[in-house]
Amino acid sequence: MVESKITRRSFVQAGLMSLLAVRSVVSFGKLRERRELEVVLEARVKNPGVETVNFGLPLPPGFLSDTRRVRVVDDSGQELAAAVRQLEPWRIGGRNGSVRSLLIQFSSNFSKQRTQKVKILFERRQKEVKAFVPVEKTLIAPDGLDGPRVLALLPADWLCDSLVVGPQTPAAQSGQYRDYDQFVEKNFPGSLAFLDSKVFSEWLFDRTSVYYKMFVRSGEAKFLEAAYHAAHFVRLHTRMDGPDAGIFTLKGPDLKYVYPRAMHIHYLLTGDERMLEAGKIMAAYCLNHQEPVYEPAAITPSPLGVDPERGRKFWTLRHQGYGLLGVLHGWEMTGDRRYWTKARECIDAYHKHQQQPPDGRPADGSLRQDWELYDPNEATFKGATSAWMMALLLDPLFYYWTLSSDKRVAELVVKWCDFLDRQGMVPDGTKAYYVINCLAVDDPKASPGELGPDMDMHNAEIAYTFALGMFFTRDQSRAAIYRKRFDKLFPLAVKLNVNRPARAFNWAFQFSSQLIYFMQHQGKG
């Protein structure tokens, strides 16, 4: 077991290195100088009165350790009696740390003024409320689908610096990448048509987290309202007990439809304990179904014309991505070391897979597999991989790096980007192959890959991939190659309408916003 190899000294060193990694992705000096923030409150019921305001306040690592040092004051400077408690500690480097998020509650009269402002001051509180109101009583309806009676809007720069959805750049600071934000604005309205969809595929790729990342980068109410609805829709369609507890009931047992990240983000921003409960159950499902080692001998071929994932053992980068993501959020929500151990085992497996491919052939930077064993309907390449599926794994790999500073993540990313540049793109560079034939390099007559459907619709994820490579590499010649790929893909990606199919909205936006952060912090990884 990996756990048995960890000495007390290496454990402490890992924690310190992890904190350094987090310091590299956030401006601690700027945050420590900021001793207050303004929160806009919007009453959303028809005839508001004295309302209980409820919201979660995410904090960056190392910012606050004493919850008594939080005051709420109104726009006249008068302190409001408030209830404040920690929702969760930061868990960087496998250990508990400072406060990650606070639950803040107080009362205010909205009968004459529907929109109000308060300030949060990080100093000793004088007026305190001991009891907390159940969060569901602060919602328009207990099921949560209509959102809260009073919406609390935190500033985008604070949300981004808090790392509540990982390192992000506020939309107002996108600079030369502002076309990405127009991409969001163009596609967001059409996405709302699917907020109550009972078609399971329209929830694939975590629609809830998409809206939350849009909110974090903008601070705008429309994204938060959509996120509230989506989060509760998913919660209400999650099995909470039994042998398949944690699954999305519209789909059935399928790891790629289980999103503890969405529940976790919602909990950190609202304090709704029902989300924490659902998130923990989902994370347990991920923990119990995550098998990171690719063992082709244990996989039986799938017949043509059938769903290759139904009722059989298989391995894909896509499932690895969602499994690892669930494990990481399970660690953060619970502090249970089984999750942290599993996360380390995943990185061990992926690093070994890349360094020593299971098929015994020379390493090429990919995490290749026998595609005929997985889905002969798509391709029959004996050594193959997928650019868009690998992007789904890169997202949690980067998230793991922010919690661990594991140097192998940078190595995995850069070697993958080198491979993708060398073998994964179509000749004109406008998109990646749907399935990449890794072994084509040894056979001039072999097809380099299958084009498949909709690969131009994945250009946001492929641009993200090369941006992540630029974040991690300090080799200027390599960075220039990645930059050329990015400059080709990014303008194509942001012109797309990604609401057809509906799940394309989710895959295009679930993590691609970080490409702006990566491009603005090249070589900082």
Side-chain angles (χ1 to χ4, degrees), residues 455-475:
M455 273 309 294
D456 57 329
M457 299 284 277
H458 289 283
N459 277 343
E461 303 104 287
I462 311 306
Y464 162 94
T465 297
F466 285 113
L468 181 57
M470 293 191 70
F471 177 76
F472 276 122
T473 189
R474 295 179 183 174
D475 181 320

Side-chain angles (χ1 to χ4, degrees), residues 423-434:
Q423 288 185 240
M425 306 298 296
V426 300
D428 66 3
T430 58
K431 57 188 173 183
Y433 288 105
Y434 187 78

Side-chain angles (χ1 to χ4, degrees), residues 227-255:
Y228 251 98
H229 187 99
H232 282 284
F233 183 95
V234 172
R235 177 183 65 82
L236 292 167
H237 291 85
T238 295
R239 185 164 296 164
M240 298 297 285
D241 52 29
D244 289 327
I247 67 169
F248 188 48
T249 56
L250 295 180
K251 177 62 168 70
D254 192 337
L255 186 60

Side-chain angles (χ1 to χ4, degrees), residues 135-136 139 232 235 266-267 270-276:
V135 172
E136 54 265 38
L139 305 175
H232 282 284
R235 177 183 65 82
H266 190 90
Y267 172 67
T270 68
D272 194 326
E273 296 287 341
R274 297 173 298 176
M275 292 297 183
L276 180 61

Side-chain angles (χ1 to χ4, degrees), residues 394-414:
L394 293 178
D395 176 31
L397 282 174
F398 175 71
Y399 196 65
Y400 171 76
W401 177 81
T402 67
L403 297 175
S404 70
S405 77
D406 192 323
K407 294 179 180 179
R408 294 175 298 173
V409 173
E411 184 181 356
L412 277 159
V413 170
V414 170

Side-chain angles (χ1 to χ4, degrees), residues 100-139:
R100 180 166 193 187
S101 187
L102 296 165
L103 180 63
I104 298 177
Q105 290 188 349
F106 56 90
S107 295
S108 188
N109 191 338
F110 289 83
S111 61
K112 296 181 179 179
Q113 189 175 356
R114 297 182 63 89
T115 300
Q116 301 178 14
K117 294 180 180 179
V118 296
K119 285 185 177 180
I120 308 298
L121 309 179
F122 297 99
E123 56 190 41
R124 180 73 66 169
R125 186 165 59 257
Q126 303 299 320
K127 296 182 178 180
E128 184 156 9
V129 176
K130 297 294 185 182
F132 287 84
V133 176
V135 172
E136 54 265 38
K137 293 187 179 297
T138 70
L139 305 175

